[in-house]
Amino acid sequence: MSTGSSSDGHPFRVGDILRLGGAAARAIAALGVTLAPENRLALSLRVVEEASRSPAHTLAKQLDAQQSIIEAFLVSYVARRTRKLELAGKLRALLHGTLELSRDLDSRARDEQFEVFVWALLELAGLGLVTAEEPDFVVSSRRSRIGVAVKRLSSSTSLSRHVKKAAKQMSRHGVDVGILAINVDVPLRRHDGDRDKYISSIPEQVELLLSKITRDHRIEAVVVVGAIPRVAQNGLPSLNYVLSTRLLQVPEEDQSRTTASFNALGSRIRERVERAVAEGIANG
C-alpha cells in the first residue's frame, strides 16, 4: 500500500480571530450553555483585543488566547449545526483551565479541548455517524467501524506511551480500522528546529513504534494537529494551524476497504474548516 501525506496551514489574522470569538460566544449562548464570567473564551478575547492596541501581553499569551478562540469557535459551530447536546455541553468544561499553555499545571481542560476539537473535525469530515465511545470516538458507516484514539503529547518523549495505549485500545474494542489523532502543541512550542519537519516526522515515529509493539494494532492512519506560532511583519503574532494526515504501511491482507477514503481525509477537513471559518468571520 502506498502512503500519502498532506500538510498545510491556515494563518489567522487578529481581526478575524476577534470575529470568530464573537461568533463562538453567540453560538454558545444559542446552545443554552452558560459559561462562568471569567471563562477562557472571555479572557482570550480580552487579551487579543488589548494586544491589538498595545503590547500589553507576551506573544506566547496572545497565541494561547488565539488558539482558545479558534477552537471554541469550531466546536460551537459544529455543535450548533449538529445539535448534539453532549458536544455542546462539553464547551463548558473545555473553557476552564489556565489561559497560558506554559503555566498549565493541570492539563485536563486542554486534553478535553483537543478531544472535542477532534470530534468537531470528524463531524465535518462526514465519514459516518460519530459516537463518543472507546477508544475515544467511533465513526460508523455501512461498511465499517472506525476507531479514533485521541492523544495530546505533554512532551516529545510521551509519544511512545500514547502509541502503546492507543494500540491496546484499538485491539480491545474491536474496531475495523484505527485512526490515531495526535496533538503536538506542547512539544511544538518547545521545539527549536524546523517545526514543519517535526510535525511531518510524527507519523514515521508512530509507524516505527507500532512495528515494535504488535502487529494487531489496526491503526492505519495518523492525523497530526499542531498550531505553529508565527510573527507577522507588523510584530503581531499569528497562528498557523497544520493538519497532517498519513497512511501507514500495513500488510496487504490487513487493509480495509475504507483505507482509500483516508487519502482525501485531510483535504476534506481543511476545506470544510475553511468554509466554517469564512462563515464565522463574515457573520462575526
Side-chain angles (χ1 to χ4, degrees):
M1 180 176 99
S2 62
T3 60
S5 64
S6 57
S7 174
D8 57 31
H10 186 108
F12 290 90
R13 294 177 297 180
V14 171
D16 292 344
I17 288 173
L18 289 172
R19 293 185 186 92
L20 292 177
R26 287 193 297 276
I28 291 169
L31 288 163
V33 177
T34 303
L35 301 177
E38 292 296 290
N39 64 80
R40 189 144 45 95
L41 176 59
L43 292 173
S44 297
L45 280 167
R46 190 183 309 158
V47 165
V48 173
E49 188 172 15
E50 290 173 353
S52 67
R53 298 194 301 267
S54 64
H57 302 282
T58 64
L59 291 179
K61 188 174 184 179
Q62 293 176 57
L63 290 164
D64 292 338
Q66 289 183 20
Q67 185 167 3
S68 292
I69 292 169
I70 293 165
E71 295 184 7
F73 163 75
L74 193 65
V75 173
S76 62
Y77 175 92
V78 173
R80 192 172 182 185
R81 277 149 185 77
T82 60
R83 306 304 299 181
K84 288 196 172 182
L85 297 181
E86 187 178 0
L87 178 57
K90 285 182 176 290
L91 285 162
R92 185 182 295 107
L94 67 86
L95 288 173
H96 286 298
T98 308
L99 177 58
E100 295 179 77
L101 181 61
S102 62
R103 298 185 180 183
D104 196 357
L105 300 179
D106 185 349
S107 67
R108 285 176 294 182
R110 277 189 168 85
D111 290 346
E112 188 162 5
Q113 178 173 322
F114 180 58
E115 187 174 308
V116 180
F117 184 64
V118 170
W119 188 349
L121 294 180
L122 291 171
E123 293 283 358
L124 288 173
L127 295 175
L129 176 66
V130 183
T131 53
E133 57 181 290
E134 290 289 342
D136 284 303
F137 299 106
V138 170
V139 184
S140 302
S141 67
R142 289 180 298 174
R143 297 188 295 182
S144 64
R145 279 168 47 87
I146 304 172
V148 183
V150 181
K151 306 300 176 187
R152 182 170 171 268
L153 302 189
S154 58
S155 66
S156 297
T157 58
S158 65
L159 180 62
S160 176
R161 171 170 52 86
H162 284 306
V163 170
K164 289 177 182 177
K165 184 177 180 180
K168 289 179 181 178
Q169 287 176 306
M170 297 294 185
S171 299
R172 187 166 64 242
H173 295 285
V175 297
D176 301 313
V177 183
I179 301 177
L180 178 55
I182 302 173
N183 177 279
V184 294
D185 285 339
V186 174
L188 201 58
R189 298 289 179 89
R190 300 170 181 167
H191 190 70
D192 294 328
D194 189 318
R195 291 185 170 102
D196 293 294
K197 285 185 178 179
Y198 172 75
I199 288 178
S200 64
S201 74
I202 297 295
E204 294 177 6
Q205 295 180 55
V206 170
E207 192 163 19
L208 179 61
L209 287 166
L210 287 172
S211 69
K212 296 178 179 179
I213 298 169
T214 175
R215 187 174 179 275
D216 186 30
H217 54 74
R218 306 190 185 185
I219 298 174
E220 294 190 14
V222 178
V223 178
V224 183
V225 180
I228 298 179
R230 314 268 193 206
V231 178
Q233 290 183 343
N234 60 5
L236 293 175
S238 175
L239 281 182
N240 200 45
Y241 264 90
V242 175
L243 175 73
S244 178
T245 59
R246 169 85 175 255
L247 293 176
L248 303 183
Q249 289 277 16
V250 295
E252 193 73 31
E253 64 271 18
D254 290 344
Q255 293 178 31
S256 86
R257 289 175 297 174
T258 62
T259 303
S261 67
F262 292 143
N263 285 316
L265 178 63
S267 58
R268 185 186 306 131
I269 291 174
R270 278 190 295 273
E271 177 186 337
R272 294 180 182 183
V273 166
E274 289 175 1
R275 190 184 307 162
V277 166
E279 184 178 329
I281 292 171
N283 298 331

